[in-house]
Amino acid sequence: MGCLSFWRFVSAKKRYTPVYRKPPDRNTFLHALAGPTNKYRVDIQGSFYAIIRYAYANCTNLEFAHAIVLKNLKLRLKDHNVAILYFDGSLCEEKLSTQRRRQGIRSKAIDSASRRVAAFTERIASGARVRRRHFADIRRQLSKTFRWDPAARDGLVAFLRNNGWAVVQCETEADVKIAKDTIDGDIVISGDSDLFIYQNITVLWRPARNSGFQECKKSDVLSGLGLQSSQQLTALGVVSTNDYGHSVYGLECETNFKVIKCTEATWSDGSVEGAAVGPLSKITKHRFAPSLDDNGWSHAWDARRALHEEFLVIADRLLKLVGGSIGAKRKEENMVIIALGLGKFGSSARLSSLHTAFFWFFVQLLRSLGYIVVGIEEDEMAGHNMLSEEVEYDEDQKIEDASATKAKNRDKTNSNASPNKALKRRASEGLESEEVDQIKAILRKALRCKE
């Protein structure tokens, strides 16, 4: 994966456009290297993961799967004598959080695929028509659950070595080993952007459509971004969201780039200590920029945790309005439906709004606590309110007219009645008025439940 949205950031605003290389023949493939001692260093999982997933998810015979991968390698890499293949090893401790996140995605995909298979079985049992999209939905979810078996990976390594390919089995991550082995003039082939931020990697080929490549030269990228040296690009990749850690909440490549670009430190010596001290007066406009006191101590606070706590306080106060709290599940007798307006807010002053972020957080919290949440458009909500008011008015008017008519008829029939009967009649009229109020309340409650 590499750095999140790195290539999109580089290509945005016409900063840099990679050069597309058509599928090269053998001569072109050899002459692209700077010298006879240079090599193509290929990150297998970063370059051919889609092929690996297709081969090992659909072939029960490992030999057939190995052959599919080898065929695609020969199609991309015209001469195996100048290519070195790198395979990932065991998971490093620094990427445990990324591994947990990917495992969560696989678990959700398994649950989704199980639901689709159950629905597919029900359609067949009921005689309903089965369409192509039902197969496509199941296949799409199953593709997200793929995890390459280490035994199959080791088998592919042995198979490629037997066919004359140079293979390096790395201890942990392949990108670390590739960056360590790369010399000036080598070409690295990978789809991950994290390889491009290493200082000694100057040329990166990204696999593209029709067996071609997108060539990215670091010198051209630095010129397009207006950076002074490759150390600034490395710093950008380190502080942005990547496989090893997250960026500061609310700051991604674009904002981090502005902060790094305005630093006045000399990056050419490779030292970044104190690089952010000088230009802090220029970047205070960024709302998450750390502030320093007279002694140079940083008083930066955890913005992500603070925002989370703020959302919890707001959510708790809102839930208390309906008799709940963020620390308790909804009680069965609390029959409440929470409706959220889907309107969006804007500001001519370009002030940042947390409306969407809080809604996403609030909906997830409500559903985890067992509440029913629905989204309502603003116009639709206003229409429902007007309709309910009209219906309530009509029902109240009908009840009052019926009560008045009934009372008038009884007065006519009892005009010649005795005084005792008249007293009893007045008492019953009082009871009827109370019943009418109860009926009105029940009708209003029924109308609200119906809505």
Side-chain angles (χ1 to χ4, degrees):
M1 181 184 119
C3 299
L4 183 64
S5 304
F6 179 79
W7 294 120
R8 187 186 305 171
F9 156 74
V10 171
S11 303
K13 301 180 181 179
K14 298 181 180 180
R15 296 188 181 107
Y16 174 75
T17 302
V19 178
Y20 177 74
R21 280 183 170 269
K22 296 180 179 180
D25 53 17
R26 187 173 182 275
N27 292 331
T28 306
F29 190 74
L30 292 174
H31 291 143
L33 295 171
T37 59
N38 294 116
K39 299 290 185 180
Y40 286 95
R41 305 190 183 275
V42 185
D43 180 11
I44 289 295
Q45 275 116 309
S47 303
F48 298 94
Y49 181 77
I51 300 300
I52 292 172
R53 182 177 60 187
Y54 169 79
Y56 292 92
N58 295 283
C59 297
T60 56
N61 190 333
L62 290 181
E63 293 296 327
F64 291 160
H66 297 341
I68 292 174
V69 177
L70 178 60
K71 179 181 178 181
N72 283 272
L73 285 175
K74 290 181 177 179
L75 186 63
R76 294 270 189 177
L77 311 175
K78 301 301 182 181
D79 193 337
H80 68 277
N81 295 317
V82 295
I84 302 177
L85 311 180
Y86 291 81
F87 283 79
D88 289 336
S90 59
L91 183 68
C92 60
E93 185 178 353
E94 291 79 6
K95 293 186 67 173
L96 288 178
S97 59
T98 302
Q99 180 65 18
R100 295 191 191 98
R101 179 178 56 80
R102 292 175 179 174
Q103 184 60 36
I105 294 174
R106 282 193 288 265
S107 300
K108 290 182 180 179
I110 291 173
D111 296 339
S112 179
S114 300
R115 292 194 298 269
R116 283 171 168 77
V117 169
F120 184 80
T121 305
E122 291 179 0
R123 290 184 66 88
I124 295 177
S126 62
R129 187 173 180 178
V130 178
R131 300 184 181 275
R132 183 180 299 176
R133 62 180 177 83
H134 297 114
F135 293 95
D137 290 341
I138 296 175
R139 181 176 298 177
R140 188 182 305 109
Q141 296 301 322
L142 289 177
S143 65
K144 298 178 182 179
T145 65
F146 175 76
R147 185 177 182 273
W148 201 12
D149 187 12
R153 181 188 61 197
D154 296 340
L156 177 61
V157 170
F159 180 80
L160 293 174
R161 284 174 177 169
N162 294 334
N163 284 271
W165 290 80
V167 180
V168 176
Q169 182 73 46
C170 304
E171 294 182 2
T172 55
E173 293 295 317
D175 54 355
V176 178
K177 181 63 175 174
I178 292 174
K180 184 178 180 181
D181 296 345
T182 301
I183 61 176
D184 191 21
D186 288 350
I187 296 177
V188 176
I189 298 178
S190 177
D192 290 344
S193 58
D194 52 359
L195 272 168
F196 195 63
I197 69 173
Y198 287 96
Q199 296 183 23
N200 57 333
I201 296 178
T202 57
V203 181
L204 180 72
W205 283 14
R206 300 174 59 205
R209 64 184 185 278
N210 300 328
S211 302
F213 295 95
Q214 286 185 342
E215 183 182 52
C216 301
K217 292 185 177 181
K218 183 167 290 185
S219 58
D220 296 338
V221 172
L222 294 176
S223 177
L225 296 177
L227 298 178
Q228 301 173 7
S229 63
S230 61
Q231 284 84 3
Q232 288 178 299
L233 189 64
T234 302
L236 176 62
V238 170
V239 300
S240 300
T241 301
N242 52 57
D243 289 344
Y244 299 95
H246 292 278
S247 175
V248 178
Y249 185 81
L251 301 184
E252 292 301 336
C253 281
E254 189 69 39
T255 307
N256 292 333
F257 167 71
K258 294 177 182 178
V259 175
I260 292 174
K261 190 175 180 180
C262 71
T263 56
E264 297 175 348
T266 302
W267 294 84
S268 58
D269 60 353
S271 175
V272 296
E273 295 181 1
V277 176
L280 277 177
S281 58
K282 297 182 180 180
I283 61 175
T284 51
K285 61 181 180 180
H286 299 293
R287 55 194 177 107
F288 293 108
S291 58
L292 302 179
D293 58 16
D294 297 335
N295 297 323
W297 292 95
S298 175
H299 299 284
W301 46 276
D302 190 344
R304 184 187 295 272
R305 184 178 300 177
L307 185 63
H308 181 72
E309 294 296 330
E310 181 183 357
F311 283 176
L312 286 177
V313 172
I314 298 174
D316 187 61
R317 292 181 180 179
L318 290 175
L319 284 175
K320 285 181 179 179
L321 296 177
V322 294
S325 66
I326 60 175
K329 289 276 190 178
R330 180 186 63 84
K331 298 180 181 180
E332 294 184 359
E333 59 270 16
N334 188 6
M335 302 298 294
V336 60
I337 299 176
I338 299 178
L340 302 178
L342 301 180
K344 295 183 178 180
F345 301 98
S347 174
S348 59
R350 298 184 179 179
L351 298 175
S352 61
S353 174
L354 299 178
H355 173 259
T356 305
F358 175 73
F359 263 30
W360 181 87
F361 169 84
F362 193 47
V363 169
Q364 298 296 324
L365 177 64
L366 291 175
R367 290 177 176 173
S368 66
L369 297 177
Y371 289 92
I372 301 175
V373 187
V374 296
I376 300 178
E377 295 289 348
E378 299 295 337
D379 296 339
E380 183 180 355
M381 187 185 299
H384 278 291
N385 292 338
M386 293 177 62
L387 180 61
S388 62
E389 291 176 359
E390 292 178 359
V391 172
E392 290 182 1
Y393 174 77
D394 293 341
E395 294 295 335
D396 293 345
Q397 191 66 31
K398 288 179 181 179
I399 292 173
E400 292 177 359
D401 294 344
S403 177
T405 303
K406 189 176 180 180
K408 186 181 296 184
N409 294 333
R410 287 179 179 176
D411 289 340
K412 289 181 179 180
T413 55
N414 296 325
S415 58
N416 299 325
S418 62
N420 293 332
K421 290 184 178 181
L423 292 174
K424 292 180 179 180
R425 176 60 191 154
R426 293 190 188 95
S428 64
E429 285 180 357
L431 292 175
E432 286 179 359
S433 63
E434 294 178 359
E435 293 174 356
V436 169
D437 293 336
Q438 293 178 1
I439 293 173
K440 289 181 181 180
I442 293 173
L443 284 174
R444 292 191 184 97
K445 186 175 181 181
L447 287 172
R448 294 192 189 100
C449 293
K450 186 177 180 181
E451 292 176 0

